[in-house]
Amino acid sequence: MSSASPQGCVRGFGVGVLLAASLLDLAYATSMGSHRVTVALPLAAGLAALLWPARRRPRWLTVPVRTAVPALCFLLYSVGSVAAHRREPFGPGEAMMLLCLLFIAVRHAPPRWALVCGTLNIAAFLAMPVRLFQVWLDEGVLTLILVGLVLAGLVTGLAGYLRSLDYRRAVAIGETRRAERLAIAADLHDFVAHHVTGILVQTRMARMLEASRPGELDPVLAGIERAATEALASMRRTVGVLREPEGPQPPERRPGGDLAGVEELVEGFAGPAHSVTLLRDPAVSDDLPHEVQAAAFRVVQEALTNVRRHAADATEITVGLRRDGGRLEVSVADDGRGGTQLPDAARGGGFGLVGLKERVTALGGELHAGPLPGHGWEIRALLPALES
C-alpha cells in the first residue's frame, strides 16, 4: 500500500478545514434567523469553484468563471442585505473562500480577467462587515475593513509574485528553446553545406571523367549517391527535432555527431582526387562528453568542407585525434595551394569558422586556423576531454 504524499495530506487538511468552516458559517447564519438557501447558495458556488477536481472540470469552467461567479454571488448577497436593511452574518468559511479565489484569480487568470475577478473578490471580501453591521463609518467596521485590506493585499502580493516567477520561467524556457532551435538550424546548415558541396565537386569530376576516363566514373557516381542520401537523412533528422521540441529525443533523432561520425566523414570524403588519413590516438576513447564529441565532429566537417571549397587541388588530407594532457586535440591539415574549381556562389561567405570558434570557445576550448609552412592549411582545435 502506497503512503499519501505530503502534498496530498496538506490538500486534504485544507479541504477539511474549508468544509468545516463552511458548515460553521451555515450554522451561525441559521442561528441568527437567516434563510438557509440564501446563505448556502454562495457557499456552494465557492466550494464548487475550489474543490471541483481539475481533471473533471468542464471546459466552460475556466479560471475567470470559477473566480468571478462565487465572488459575484457573495457580493450580491451583501448588497441585497444592505438594501433590505437586514443584518446577515459572515464567518471564516466565506472569508477563506474569497481569499483563495482572489489568489487563484491573480495568479492564473488572463491579465484583463485577473483585474476584474480580483476586484470582485476584494469588493465581496470588504463588504462582509458592512452586511453585518449595516453601517460604513462605524469604528469597528472601518477596523475590519482595514484588516481586510491588509489580508487582501498580502494575498494579492503573494499571488502576483508567484505569477511573475511563472512568467520569468516561461520566458527562460522560451529563450532556451529558441536558442536550441537556432543551434539546430546551424547544424542543419553545416550538414547540408558539407554534403551538397561534396555533390557539386563530385559532379564536376564526373563530367570530366566521362570524356577522359569513363571506367572510373562509377565510384564517383556512387559517392554522389551516398552524399545525397546523407544530406536527405540529415535534413530529415534535424527537421524531425524541430517539429518535436517537447520531451527527450531518441538518440537516432538527435542532430549532431560523435567520434564514430568523424571516421564516417573521413571515409566519405576520400575519393580519386583526395587521399584522407585518420590518425587517432588510442588514448582517445568514445566516453568523452557528447558535446565535446559533437564539437570535434563539427571541426572535421567544417575543415573538410573548406578543403572542397577553397583547396580542391589538395591531394593529401590528414585528420588527427589525440590527447594533449587533459584536452582533446582535433586537427585537419591539407596540402592544397588554394586552387578551386567551384563557382563563387558555392564558396561560402566565410562565416563557418566564426560559428565554429564560438562553439569551441563556449566549451572552454581553443581554435586555430592558418597556413602551413610552404603550402597547405590547418585547422586545429583543443577541447576539454574529461570523460563522462
Side-chain angles (χ1 to χ4, degrees), residues 192-237:
V192 175
H194 176 80
H195 294 308
V196 172
T197 303
I199 293 172
L200 179 59
V201 171
Q202 293 181 79
T203 302
R204 284 178 168 262
M205 187 181 302
R207 294 178 64 184
M208 291 186 295
L209 291 175
E210 182 183 8
S212 58
R213 290 176 290 176
E216 299 179 7
L217 187 60
D218 188 66
V220 177
L221 295 177
I224 294 174
E225 181 182 7
R226 182 174 61 252
T229 303
E230 291 175 355
L232 290 174
S234 298
M235 291 179 63
R236 184 169 58 252
R237 287 194 301 267

Side-chain angles (χ1 to χ4, degrees), residues 160-172:
Y161 172 71
L162 295 177
R163 184 182 183 121
S164 68
L165 291 182
D166 294 339
Y167 174 76
R168 281 183 282 181
R169 186 182 301 111
V171 170

Side-chain angles (χ1 to χ4, degrees), residues 232-247:
L232 290 174
S234 298
M235 291 179 63
R236 184 169 58 252
R237 287 194 301 267
T238 307
V239 172
V241 173
L242 289 173
R243 287 180 176 177
E244 301 176 8
E246 300 292 341

Side-chain angles (χ1 to χ4, degrees), residues 5 11 44 55 63 97 115 139 145 174 176 196 256 284 294 318 337:
S5 63
R11 177 176 175 80
R55 295 180 180 179
V63 173
M97 285 182 194
L115 178 62
E139 183 177 352
I145 291 177
T176 301
V196 172
V284 177
T318 302
R337 300 177 181 273

